[in-house]
Amino acid sequence: MTPALPFLLGSVAGYLADARFADPRRGHPVAVFGSAATRLERRLWRDHRPAGAAYTAACVGTVAAGAVLADRALRRAPLARAGLAAAATWTVLGGTSLTREARTIGRSLAADDLVAARERLPHLCGRDPSALDGPQIARAVVESVAENTADAVVNALTWGALAGTPGLLAFRAVNTLDAMVGHRSPRHLRFGWASARLDDLAGWPGARLTALLTVAAAPEPRTAWRVWRRDGSSHPSPNAGQAESAFAGALGVRLGGTLRYGERVEHRPVLGGELRPVTVDDIERACALSRRVGALALAVTVTGRALYSCYSWRKS
């Protein structure tokens, strides 16, 4: 048995658990972490970057250290170590919940229930839905599916392949902190800077892998490749644009443009400007594409870690 085998088996089991059961409805570990991070923020908040950096280090460092200690404590118990990896993978993945939320909104739009769609959209993304019409909500859903396929699936699996169970949990901590304090609000402009930059760094490899796998899974790979390579870096986020542009090309739709987050308005570049606007039917197509990309990500990351582990084991 190679040292990586328990983690590999656990990550596959955790992926299947997410596919079957989605996220726990109550007592989700990420929600517990978020509550603890909120309490710590109240104690450490100062309107400058060093305080935010200390806060980020404390939150992420605690999660990473705890995962390392737990993983090492079970190194002589492979079944228990596999169980830990399975639980961690199920905890950090969010692919099934992502597509369920997207499909719920899609059904409301298909039934011309704009009120219900607007009420549900905040469960998926942070945009202000009050002034959005049906096509604009559909576009927001497709963009959120693309971005969160990278964050909630591919990036988590990538960091699991790179650093095992500690990598999985540390990445989710980083990504959660970015959602909590990484946005450009007056309170978090400086305090959240470290969390936002760390999330950019952590999300870099998985975002590019997401784009590559989207091209591989696309009905028209050439269009997906062309739009990704041309438009991926025009997005203000160094990572979100990679997945969104690849999804735009893969689905043959136009994404990007003006977005509203409460009182803040962003005018983002258009991705796939020559393509058609998003329709309600594209939500289901985006969900199906997300699931294909997630399955490919599992295959690639598990195979990559297995090959590297076998090479290192034989060399030693």
Side-chain angles (χ1 to χ4, degrees), residues 155-282:
N155 254 313
L157 293 172
T158 298
W159 279 102
L162 292 172
T165 299
L168 277 169
L169 296 177
F171 172 75
R172 179 54 61 218
V174 170
N175 194 240
T176 302
L177 286 183
D178 178 62
M180 294 174 61
V181 303
H183 45 85
R184 293 179 176 273
S185 67
R187 176 179 174 84
H188 295 135
L189 184 62
R190 283 177 282 272
F191 183 82
W193 178 87
S195 293
R197 297 292 76 78
L198 184 58
D199 184 67
D200 288 342
L201 181 63
W204 197 96
R208 276 95 191 141
L209 180 58
T210 301
L212 284 171
L213 296 178
T214 300
V215 171
E220 295 291 339
R222 291 184 179 180
T223 303
W225 174 268
R226 173 172 52 82
V227 175
W228 169 43
R229 299 307 298 159
R230 185 191 67 199
D231 298 340
S233 298
S234 64
H235 196 282
S237 165
N239 297 323
Q242 305 297 315
E244 289 185 24
S245 60
F247 263 66
L251 298 172
V253 299
R254 183 168 63 246
L255 300 178
T258 301
L259 307 175
R260 181 180 293 276
Y261 296 87
E263 297 181 356
R264 178 167 58 92
V265 177
E266 291 186 9
H267 301 284
R268 295 182 178 176
V270 174
L271 310 175
E274 74 278 17
L275 303 175
R276 63 174 176 80
V278 176
T279 66
V280 175
D281 291 339
D282 293 315

Side-chain angles (χ1 to χ4, degrees), residues 12 39 63 121 124 138 165 216 221 243 287 295:
V12 172
R39 291 194 295 271
V63 170
L121 186 63
L124 194 64
T165 299
C287 290

